[in-house]
């Protein structure tokens, strides 16, 4: 999560218990696709782990997972679920290099300011090893704004998201899929699911 929007961070601070404790299954289908390209025991950085549902599933599958969240309150909730430390990390503070085989960012980079998103994706690219896999999901739209709960969303189109990745420069492959779904606010939502592979070393 980015530190740029205190209102969004404030929402998660106040709603951490309800948000983390809701009945949300892990993203099994998307984890299946993500995990298919990873070796057993691969090291994964999870950004915006929220309540830790996806974290628990990836740990169950035997991955070496590093869960993080930008909200201290949500990090604590996830730590209680997982029985392990969850690091507090804002997107723009990621500074590791070639440290991970995969980065998982389900429904979290959608809070990053539009102008900051390309730089954050560059940091994720740097944190991945050559050939590493990066999954992220976003709420689709045409203009940034806030939802009914006051949270900031960048609401990108598929074309805008592709531009933010700078795919031809940074990534060997980028696939963006669109599907209907919902979220914490229970509103019908168009989702964009992006799966990118870092270019291998020449």
């Amino acid at each position: 999560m980015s530190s740029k929007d205190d209102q969004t961070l404030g929402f998660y601070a106040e709603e951490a218990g309800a948000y983390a404790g809701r009945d949300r299954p892990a993203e099994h289908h998307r984890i299946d696709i993500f995990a298919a390209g990873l070796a057993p025991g691969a090291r994964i950085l999870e950004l915006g782990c929220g309540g830790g549902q996806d974290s628990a599933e990836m740990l169950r599958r035997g991955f070496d997972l590093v869960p993080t969240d930008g909200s201290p309150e949500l990090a604590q909730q996830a730590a209680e679920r997982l029985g392990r430390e969850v690091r507090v990390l804002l997107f723009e503070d990621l500074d590791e290099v070639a440290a991970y085989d995969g980065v998982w960012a389900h429904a979290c980079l959608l809070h990053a300011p539009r102008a900051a998103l390309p730089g954050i994706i560059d940091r994720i690219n740097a944190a991945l090893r050559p050939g590493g896999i990066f999954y992220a999901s976003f709420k689709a739209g045409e203009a940034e704004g806030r939802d009914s709960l006051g949270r900031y969303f960048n609401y990108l189109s598929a074309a805008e998201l592709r531009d933010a990745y700078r795919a031809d420069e940074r990534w060997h492959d980028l696939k963006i899929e669109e599907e209907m779904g919902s979220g914490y606010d229970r509103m019908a939502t168009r989702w964009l699911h992006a799966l990118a592979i870092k270019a291998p070393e020449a």
Side-chain angles (χ1 to χ4, degrees):
M1 185 179 298
S2 171
S3 63
K4 300 299 184 184
D5 189 72
D6 290 340
Q7 186 174 339
T8 301
L9 280 170
F11 168 85
Y12 288 111
E14 293 175 8
E15 297 291 323
Y19 186 86
R22 74 196 193 280
D23 184 19
R24 181 184 86 75
E27 296 291 325
H28 294 280
H29 173 61
R30 295 294 164 184
I31 294 173
D32 286 345
I33 296 170
F34 175 71
L38 295 169
R43 186 167 175 79
I44 297 170
L45 172 66
E46 183 178 10
L47 299 172
C49 72
Q53 290 92 341
D54 293 347
S55 315
E57 174 61 17
M58 286 186 279
L59 287 167
R60 188 191 67 79
R61 295 182 186 216
F63 290 113
D64 179 12
L65 181 75
V66 179
T68 72
D69 200 276
S71 162
E73 294 82 7
L74 279 178
Q76 178 60 37
Q77 291 285 332
E80 292 175 7
R81 177 187 297 272
L82 301 172
R84 63 165 59 201
E85 180 184 3
V86 175
R87 183 172 147 211
V88 178
L89 178 69
L90 298 171
F91 303 141
E92 61 267 31
D93 292 336
L94 177 62
D95 59 3
E96 294 171 279
V97 176
Y100 301 98
D101 303 300
V103 173
W104 176 266
H106 170 66
C108 60
L109 291 175
L110 40 64
H111 294 310
R114 279 183 167 220
L117 185 59
I120 290 167
I121 292 173
D122 285 349
R123 287 177 176 271
I124 292 168
N125 183 283
L128 281 167
R129 295 171 181 142
I133 300 174
F134 169 36
Y135 166 78
S137 55
F138 299 81
K139 290 187 177 184
E142 304 302 327
E144 63 187 347
R146 296 189 184 275
D147 70 357
S148 62
L149 302 174
R151 299 175 297 173
Y152 168 87
F153 288 89
N154 44 39
Y155 291 128
L156 299 158
S157 68
E160 289 169 328
L161 184 57
R162 184 170 291 278
D163 287 345
Y165 272 74
R166 296 195 272 250
D168 294 339
E169 303 169 36
R170 304 286 184 177
W171 303 94
H172 172 66
D173 188 36
L174 170 64
K175 292 184 174 67
I176 299 174
E177 298 181 9
E178 182 174 329
E179 69 175 3
M180 289 301 298
S182 63
Y184 185 66
D185 62 1
R186 302 184 183 277
M187 301 295 290
T189 302
R190 285 189 302 125
W191 284 91
L192 301 175
H193 298 275
L195 191 72
I197 300 175
K198 181 174 177 174
E201 289 182 332

